[in-house]
Amino acid sequence: MGNLSLVTIVIIAANVIISLKGFNDFGFFEKYKFQVGAINSGEKIRMFSSGFLHVDMSHLFFNMFTLYFFSDVVVSYLGNFNFIVVYLVSLVLGSLLSLYFHKNEYEYSAVGASGAVTGILYSAILLEPNMSLYMYFIPIPIPAYVFGIGYLLYSIYGMKNRVGNIGHDAHFGGAIGGYVTTLILLPALFKTDLLMIGLLAIPIIILFVMHKMGKLN
């Protein structure tokens, strides 16, 4: 992990340039952030543009740092073009899930590449489920698939309980985008990693069931 392909450099550069513009131009930031009322009024571009804006430097750094570590796994398996496909599909699905769960909250707003980055993260986990991840607060390596499942289960908890000023639904939507798009682009995984595909689908199934039962309200 950690090798930078040209496509990753371009995406990071786009996030940095657009975010810096937003930091210094309040009107620009307000015009292109995710906001339910504006999107419902027809400004659909916000569902895409908001994925390149960030609240501050730490928000930007964390997202780009995560992208830096996991992008090369996806690029090595799927190639540059399909990496972009996974990234953009995850970005849009993250926004769509946010819009779905907040459609009646007209003042709800959000920014950040978290949906797209989570899609790349979940794609990388699906492609290399046994790679080890090290968390600064846990002194032992964690198998990637365990982290992925745990992260989405926490996202469900965050969505249900409105934990923190975090777009948990965008993260979850992005993960679904990365998961589904990767399987479409590399269907051979159904032959080689069917068990892992099933395990990584568990949080998605739980979310669907909880929503159907009205447990997310």
Side-chain angles (χ1 to χ4, degrees), residues 59-76:
H59 186 207
L60 173 64
F61 175 79
F62 181 79
N63 276 333
M64 295 304 99
F65 189 67
T66 305
L67 181 64
Y68 162 76
F69 269 105
F70 293 99
S71 61
D72 65 302
V73 175
V74 181
V75 170
S76 64

Side-chain angles (χ1 to χ4, degrees), residues 47 88-99 115 169-170 172-178 180-181:
M47 298 182 69
L88 295 181
V89 169
S90 299
L91 189 163
V92 172
L93 280 183
S95 291
L96 283 172
L97 198 67
S98 288
L99 184 63
D169 31 35
F172 205 102
I176 293 174
V180 173
T181 307

Side-chain angles (χ1 to χ4, degrees), residues 52-136:
F52 292 88
L53 290 169
H54 290 83
V55 173
D56 52 34
M57 285 299 297
S58 62
H59 186 207
L60 173 64
F61 175 79
F62 181 79
N63 276 333
M64 295 304 99
F65 189 67
T66 305
L67 181 64
Y68 162 76
F69 269 105
F70 293 99
S71 61
D72 65 302
V73 175
V74 181
V75 170
S76 64
Y77 276 89
L78 302 180
N80 288 322
F81 179 79
N82 286 336
F83 172 85
I84 296 173
V85 171
V86 173
Y87 187 91
L88 295 181
V89 169
S90 299
L91 189 163
V92 172
L93 280 183
S95 291
L96 283 172
L97 198 67
S98 288
L99 184 63
Y100 179 78
F101 280 110
H102 299 282
K103 56 183 177 291
N104 296 319
E105 303 170 41
Y106 295 103
E107 296 302 317
Y108 179 86
S109 63
V111 293
S114 300
V117 172
T118 304
I120 294 299
L121 169 64
Y122 218 65
S123 175
I125 291 172
L126 182 59
L127 294 166
E128 287 284 355
N130 293 313
M131 64 180 170
S132 295
L133 303 182
Y134 291 84
M135 310 299 291
Y136 70 91

Side-chain angles (χ1 to χ4, degrees), residues 7-20:
V7 69
T8 306
I9 294 172
V10 169
I11 289 176
I12 290 176
N15 273 277
V16 171
I17 291 169
I18 295 172
S19 292
L20 289 176

Side-chain angles (χ1 to χ4, degrees), residues 102 150-169 171-172 207 210 216:
H102 299 282
Y151 182 80
L152 288 197
L153 290 176
Y154 172 73
S155 294
I156 294 174
Y157 172 80
M159 292 165 65
K160 179 176 173 58
N161 296 284
R162 302 293 182 97
V163 176
N165 188 27
I166 300 171
H168 297 285
D169 31 35
H171 295 182
F172 205 102
L207 179 72
M210 288 183 65
L216 292 176

